Amino acid sequence: MKKFLSITFGFALSFVLLSCAEMQQMANQFPELNPNGPIDIAGGLKEALNNGISKQVTKLTAVDGFYKNEMVKILLPEELQKVDKALRKVGLSSLADDGIKMLNRAAEDATKEATPIFVDAVKNMSFNDAKGILMGNESSATTYLQTTTTSPLYAKFNPVIKNSFAKVGADKVWTNIITKYNSLPLVKKVNPDLTDYTTNKALEGVYKMIAVEEKNIRTNLSSRTSTLLQKVFAMQDKK
């Protein structure tokens, strides 16, 4: 998985610098950091993003990657919170717990299956985009990805989530939950779109974990574990 992610972001971020002249232009702004030639800004950004993916996002693809991570754990949508309470009151707490777990299992599965979309997500990044990201705030790279990729990523994630529900049995569990709830007396019947909800929450979790590592590299000098990261992000420090 890590090898694939490295290839994915390595390929995509190779588009960041369109020519050696452009790279030289930016590096020349910081001559004291550049005693032996132009700094590989593209490589530094690639390494930073790859760290974010390999250290953080891949955790989401493991069993309990979402479910036991309080930062991204998918809870019930507001419409179903009353379902959860009602089921627990009538002794069906285990069924309610299974329903929540299944949402997170589907997100874990979808994140793993949908990772290749990141190739298309960042390949159109321009030199000006890269410069803005490097000199931006602590989440500029994450914000760029989120702004430019939410719609196409949703289009790819949504069918994967739908298939994942079937794969992990979430569709049957939730059909059972909603059927039991709707059969209770005096309740307003519900029929939520859990595929849409879980898709959005899975995307939110992916971006959130990328942001964690981006902030870490930008603000924690000890997280710049290579000479390249140190040189590239020193530019950011001096802005």
Side-chain angles (χ1 to χ4, degrees):
M1 186 67 179
K2 290 185 179 180
K3 181 179 179 181
F4 173 78
L5 288 166
S6 178
I7 293 171
T8 296
F9 276 79
F11 172 80
L13 287 172
S14 66
F15 288 84
V16 170
L17 294 184
L18 303 180
S19 71
C20 293
E22 287 176 320
M23 185 164 63
Q24 182 70 60
Q25 174 189 353
M26 188 169 180
N28 285 344
Q29 297 176 30
F30 303 89
E32 71 279 12
L33 301 174
N34 187 30
N36 299 312
I39 297 173
D40 184 5
I41 300 166
L45 289 173
K46 178 184 72 174
E47 186 174 340
L49 281 173
N50 187 57
N51 285 351
I53 297 300
S54 63
K55 291 182 180 179
Q56 301 293 344
V57 177
T58 54
K59 295 177 183 178
L60 300 179
T61 67
V63 174
D64 292 330
F66 273 85
Y67 188 64
K68 291 189 177 180
N69 183 340
E70 293 302 319
M71 286 188 65
V72 297
K73 182 178 180 179
I74 300 175
L75 303 177
L76 293 178
E78 185 176 353
E79 181 182 5
L80 290 181
Q81 290 176 9
K82 58 185 178 182
V83 177
D84 182 80
K85 292 178 181 179
L87 291 175
R88 295 181 190 281
K89 284 181 180 179
V90 297
L92 295 173
S93 59
S94 62
L95 185 61
D97 289 338
D98 284 343
I100 295 174
K101 184 177 292 186
M102 289 300 182
L103 294 182
N104 287 274
R105 288 288 181 266
E108 291 156 9
D109 192 53
T111 301
K112 176 174 58 181
E113 295 293 334
T115 299
I117 191 60
F118 278 106
V119 173
D120 292 328
V122 297
K123 71 180 182 180
N124 293 320
M125 186 184 292
S126 68
F127 174 72
N128 285 335
D129 291 329
K131 185 166 62 174
I133 288 169
L134 182 62
M135 298 303 173
N137 61 35
E138 63 187 21
S139 61
S140 290
T142 306
T143 299
Y144 172 82
L145 292 177
Q146 190 166 11
T147 300
T148 58
T149 67
T150 295
S151 293
L153 281 176
Y154 181 96
K156 293 292 185 180
F157 268 62
N158 192 258
V160 177
I161 289 284
K162 184 176 181 179
N163 291 334
S164 295
F165 274 149
K167 180 179 176 181
V168 302
D171 51 348
K172 295 179 180 179
V173 171
W174 273 102
T175 296
N176 190 20
I177 289 173
I178 293 172
T179 298
K180 285 186 179 296
Y181 175 78
N182 286 341
S183 68
L184 296 175
L186 304 177
V187 301
K188 182 179 179 180
K189 290 179 171 47
V190 297
N191 187 29
D193 185 347
L194 289 174
T195 301
D196 173 76
Y197 174 77
T198 306
T199 299
N200 283 313
K201 287 297 181 181
L203 289 171
E204 184 180 305
V206 167
Y207 292 127
K208 186 174 290 187
M209 297 311 294
I210 292 174
V212 166
E213 192 63 22
E214 180 184 1
K215 180 179 179 180
N216 192 33
I217 290 176
R218 286 184 183 274
T219 61
N220 185 353
L221 294 179
S222 64
S223 294
R224 301 172 188 176
T225 53
S226 71
T227 300
L228 181 57
L229 284 177
Q230 292 164 9
K231 287 184 176 181
V232 169
F233 283 92
M235 294 181 178
Q236 168 215 258
D237 296 340
K238 294 176 68 66
K239 68 181 178 181

Coordinates of all heavy atoms in Angstrom, one line a residue, residues 17 23 27 34 37-46 228-229 231-232 235:
L17 N 6.5 21.4 -10.6 CA 7.4 22.3 -11.2 C 7.5 22.0 -12.7 O 7.8 20.9 -13.1 CB 8.8 22.1 -10.6 CG 8.9 22.5 -9.1 CD1 10.3 22.4 -8.7 CD2 8.4 23.9 -8.9
M23 N 11.9 26.4 -11.0 CA 12.4 26.0 -9.8 C 13.6 26.9 -9.3 O 13.7 27.3 -8.2 CB 12.9 24.5 -9.9 CG 13.3 24.0 -8.5 SD 13.5 22.2 -8.6 CE 14.7 21.9 -9.9
A27 N 14.0 29.2 -5.9 CA 15.1 29.0 -5.1 C 16.0 30.2 -4.9 O 16.7 30.4 -3.9 CB 15.9 27.8 -5.6
N34 N 20.6 27.8 -0.5 CA 20.9 27.2 -1.8 C 22.3 27.3 -2.2 O 22.6 27.8 -3.2 CB 19.9 27.8 -2.8 CG 20.0 27.1 -4.1 OD1 20.2 25.9 -4.2 ND2 19.7 27.9 -5.2
G37 N 23.2 24.8 -5.6 CA 22.3 24.6 -6.7 C 20.9 24.8 -6.2 O 20.6 24.9 -5.0
P38 N 19.9 24.7 -7.2 CA 18.5 24.9 -6.8 C 18.0 23.8 -5.9 O 18.4 22.6 -6.0 CB 17.8 24.8 -8.2 CG 18.8 24.0 -9.1 CD 20.1 24.4 -8.6
I39 N 17.1 24.2 -5.0 CA 16.5 23.3 -4.0 C 15.4 22.6 -4.7 O 14.6 23.2 -5.4 CB 16.0 24.0 -2.8 CG1 17.2 24.6 -2.0 CG2 15.3 23.1 -1.8 CD1 16.8 25.5 -0.9
D40 N 15.2 21.3 -4.5 CA 14.2 20.5 -5.2 C 12.9 20.7 -4.4 O 12.5 19.9 -3.6 CB 14.6 19.0 -5.2 CG 13.5 18.2 -5.9 OD1 12.6 18.8 -6.5 OD2 13.7 16.9 -5.9
I41 N 12.2 21.8 -4.7 CA 11.0 22.2 -4.0 C 9.9 21.1 -4.3 O 9.2 20.7 -3.4 CB 10.5 23.6 -4.5 CG1 11.5 24.6 -4.1 CG2 9.2 23.9 -3.8 CD1 11.3 25.9 -4.8
A42 N 9.8 20.7 -5.5 CA 8.8 19.7 -5.9 C 9.1 18.4 -5.1 O 8.1 17.8 -4.5 CB 8.9 19.3 -7.3
G43 N 10.3 18.0 -4.9 CA 10.7 16.8 -4.2 C 10.3 16.9 -2.7 O 9.8 16.0 -2.1
G44 N 10.5 18.1 -2.2 CA 10.2 18.4 -0.8 C 8.7 18.3 -0.5 O 8.3 17.7 0.5
L45 N 7.9 18.9 -1.4 CA 6.5 18.8 -1.3 C 6.0 17.3 -1.5 O 5.1 16.9 -0.7 CB 5.8 19.7 -2.3 CG 5.9 21.2 -2.0 CD1 5.3 22.0 -3.2 CD2 5.2 21.6 -0.7
K46 N 6.6 16.7 -2.4 CA 6.2 15.3 -2.6 C 6.5 14.4 -1.4 O 5.7 13.6 -0.9 CB 7.0 14.7 -3.8 CG 6.8 13.2 -4.0 CD 7.7 12.7 -5.1 CE 9.1 12.5 -4.7 NZ 9.9 11.8 -5.7
L228 N 16.3 17.3 2.6 CA 15.4 18.0 1.7 C 14.2 18.7 2.4 O 13.9 19.9 2.1 CB 14.9 17.0 0.6 CG 14.0 17.6 -0.5 CD1 14.7 18.7 -1.2 CD2 13.5 16.5 -1.4
L229 N 13.5 18.0 3.3 CA 12.4 18.6 4.0 C 12.9 19.8 4.8 O 12.2 20.8 4.8 CB 11.8 17.6 4.9 CG 10.9 16.5 4.3 CD1 10.4 15.6 5.4 CD2 9.7 17.2 3.6
K231 N 15.4 21.8 4.1 CA 15.7 23.0 3.2 C 14.5 23.6 2.7 O 14.3 24.8 2.7 CB 16.6 22.5 2.1 CG 18.1 22.2 2.5 CD 18.9 21.9 1.3 CE 20.4 21.7 1.8 NZ 21.3 21.4 0.6
V232 N 13.5 22.7 2.2 CA 12.3 23.3 1.5 C 11.5 24.0 2.5 O 11.0 25.1 2.3 CB 11.6 22.1 0.9 CG1 10.2 22.6 0.4 CG2 12.3 21.6 -0.4
M235 N 12.3 27.5 3.8 CA 11.7 28.6 3.0 C 10.4 29.1 3.6 O 10.2 30.3 3.7 CB 11.5 28.2 1.5 CG 12.7 27.8 0.8 SD 12.3 27.3 -0.9 CE 13.9 27.0 -1.6

